[in-house]
Amino acid sequence: MERFLGDEGIAKNWAYPVKHVDPSAPEIAIVGAGPAGISAAYHLIKRGYRAIIFDDHTEAGGTLRTALPPYRLPRSLLDAELERVLTLDGITFQPHTRLGRDMHLNELEEQYQAVFIATGAQRSMEWSIDGVVPRDLQSGFELLKQWVDIGTVPTPKSVAIIGAGNTAVDMARVMKRAGVPEVHILSHKPIPKPGIPIEESMPAIPREIQEALEEGVIIHEYRGIRRLILRGERVVGVELVHMKKLMQPSGRLKRIAFEGTETILNVDQVIPAVGQVIDPTGIERLAENHSRLQVDKWGQVIGHPGIYAGGDVTPNAGTVTAAVGDGRRAAEAIDCALQDKALQESGEASSIPFDKLNMHYYELAPHVQEPTLPIEQRIGDEEITTSLSAPLIIKESKRCFSCGNCLACDNCWMLCPDSAILKTKELASSASHYVFDYDYCKGCGLCETECPCGFIQMVDES
């Protein structure tokens, strides 16, 4: 549904709710034009600031442009979204400008009211098996950037990709598209399926994992590499071992190898996709030898007032959504700091357990399937999953349970035996159209029981 609205916004050129920014407004420096940097710029101009975005690439987009395969994010769509934001009044984009080479952090601190760092995690983590590294070792992240940039990757007869995240799955699918006959993913974790906790399964997007399997990628669950089998300095195979988490005497779970479960997998190349860390160039005094910048919940770099950070340069969730949220929070924090205002503390949102929903008020309806490119046509950059039509979007929206949000169904108002619930025309303080008169309420709990979406909760007065 979000995608449909985004596509509609581009097609119909929906205007962003921003006003003209005064030319003399305070300027904020943003280093990095990925999702976090773009989000920070947008929310800063909404608050009346001018945002100057620096990036060492020729075009904005960050990793979305440099390492995400086009079959997942068409570049025409990315260009359209970015153009809508970068052309807003108050935003200036300066490409070909690298922190630590063309400018320095202390200069930014002197020239701008605040600095937001959103340079991402651009350096692959080091990888070896007991110190052994093949001569031709290349990381999955670097090979993805190579594929996106020039359209080529090595094409051995068989390859093993080590990792369980989106980079590993993307790399595997790219290798299949490049013509590699046999592509393996070696994962300590299992494929997501019912009965396996989310935190214990492969962290890659489940849909991407399923599509990879459809395209012929072989996933080895609960497997680690015991040793590399080399001929000279070239890989000719790997020795795998079964891995699983077991409870230790200390009470903590630890992943261990099961002796006697070793097997040999013949491959011509191994590609580690085990994560990225930051490139500390230009931000050495902020990094302090950490793999990520350490920030508070508002994005301010700890120990460095006036400097904020977001996206993959921080220990966030590693998603585009999280990066966009980082930019918004940092913009709010910068505004409050410059205006000498206190930040508004927001309580942690609690989820509604499924058993709090009254399913008797919902009709069963199947999930609407997104249009997907047939497997035999997945050979290039063609987008795999496309948008739903407007009628299907409406159909799918009717499946929403509105968890924890009032549906204005009138159940509580109609069923209260003491008429202790009053209906209002305007939204009440509870964000519903109902007010409870506690002088008449006897606490029978009928309203809570019959509330379809879990909005009403009975709380002990003590």
Side-chain angles (χ1 to χ4, degrees), residues 364-420:
L364 290 176
H367 174 63
V368 175
Q369 297 297 319
E370 295 172 300
T372 304
L373 196 68
I375 299 170
E376 61 274 10
Q377 295 180 25
R378 302 179 195 173
I379 56 176
D381 291 341
E382 296 83 1
E383 189 174 12
I384 304 298
T385 305
T386 53
S387 182
L388 295 172
S389 63
L392 288 177
I393 286 291
I394 294 172
K395 181 180 180 181
E396 181 69 1
S397 68
K398 293 179 179 178
R399 299 178 63 249
C400 176
F401 294 155
S402 190
C403 304
N405 294 295
C406 182
L407 281 169
C409 66
D410 286 350
N411 276 8
C412 57
W413 176 63
M414 292 189 298
L415 298 176
C416 179
D418 300 304
S419 299

Side-chain angles (χ1 to χ4, degrees), residues 273-295:
V274 293
Q276 292 86 242
V277 295
I278 63 173
D279 180 352
T281 304
I283 54 172
E284 292 87 352
R285 65 183 173 91
L286 304 182
E288 298 177 342
N289 295 319
H290 292 290
S291 62
R292 297 285 195 277
L293 296 186
Q294 305 303 300
V295 297

Side-chain angles (χ1 to χ4, degrees), residues 120-343:
Q122 300 297 328
R123 181 177 291 181
S124 297
M125 294 180 64
E126 294 185 0
W127 179 89
S128 69
I129 300 297
D130 294 331
V132 178
V133 178
R135 180 181 60 189
D136 59 349
L137 185 70
Q138 291 179 279
S139 73
F141 185 63
E142 294 301 322
L143 285 174
L144 279 176
K145 291 197 289 186
Q146 179 179 313
W147 170 264
V148 171
D149 188 28
I150 61 177
T152 63
V153 289
T155 53
K157 291 183 179 179
S158 59
V159 62
I161 298 165
I162 298 91
N166 288 318
T167 299
V169 174
D170 285 344
M171 189 70 251
R173 299 178 72 184
V174 162
M175 295 300 276
K176 291 297 289 186
R177 281 163 172 74
V180 177
E182 199 172 292
V183 180
H184 303 265
I185 291 179
L186 310 181
S187 168
H188 286 169
K189 295 185 175 184
I191 296 170
K193 57 177 73 75
I196 296 179
I198 294 175
E199 63 275 9
E200 292 298 325
S201 61
M202 292 177 65
I205 299 171
R207 181 183 65 194
E208 302 291 331
I209 296 173
Q210 183 58 41
E211 290 176 357
L213 292 169
E214 293 171 355
E215 293 163 14
V217 174
I218 304 166
I219 299 179
H220 302 261
E221 304 173 284
Y222 302 112
R223 291 296 186 275
I225 296 182
R226 173 61 59 86
R227 65 185 176 95
L228 296 175
I229 303 173
L230 304 177
R231 182 174 296 154
E233 295 182 355
R234 288 186 58 255
V235 171
V236 294
V238 292
E239 182 181 287
L240 304 181
V241 64
H242 189 87
M243 308 283 292
K244 204 162 187 181
K245 277 188 174 181
L246 292 180
M247 186 66 69
Q248 302 301 299
S250 63
R252 300 182 63 181
L253 287 170
K254 181 181 179 181
R255 187 171 282 108
I256 65 170
F258 281 74
E259 297 293 337
T261 63
E262 293 85 355
T263 56
I264 300 297
L265 177 66
N266 296 314
V267 294
D268 301 317
Q269 185 177 5
V270 292
I271 300 174
V274 293
Q276 292 86 242
V277 295
I278 63 173
D279 180 352
T281 304
I283 54 172
E284 292 87 352
R285 65 183 173 91
L286 304 182
E288 298 177 342
N289 295 319
H290 292 290
S291 62
R292 297 285 195 277
L293 296 186
Q294 305 303 300
V295 297
D296 63 19
K297 65 180 180 179
W298 292 100
Q300 179 170 294
V301 179
I302 295 173
H304 298 275
I307 302 179
Y308 301 80
D312 288 345
V313 77
T314 64
N316 75 355
T319 64
V320 174
T321 303
V324 170
D326 288 347
R328 180 191 60 79
R329 282 188 294 274
E332 182 177 350
I334 291 170
D335 180 41
C336 287
L338 297 181
Q339 299 293 328
D340 198 23
K341 296 186 299 185
L343 285 163

Side-chain angles (χ1 to χ4, degrees), residues 99-114:
L99 186 63
R101 183 192 66 193
D102 306 305
M103 59 182 178
H104 300 280
L105 186 58
N106 59 336
E107 295 173 345
L108 296 179
E109 290 181 279
E110 292 172 1
Q111 296 175 27
Y112 297 93
Q113 298 296 308

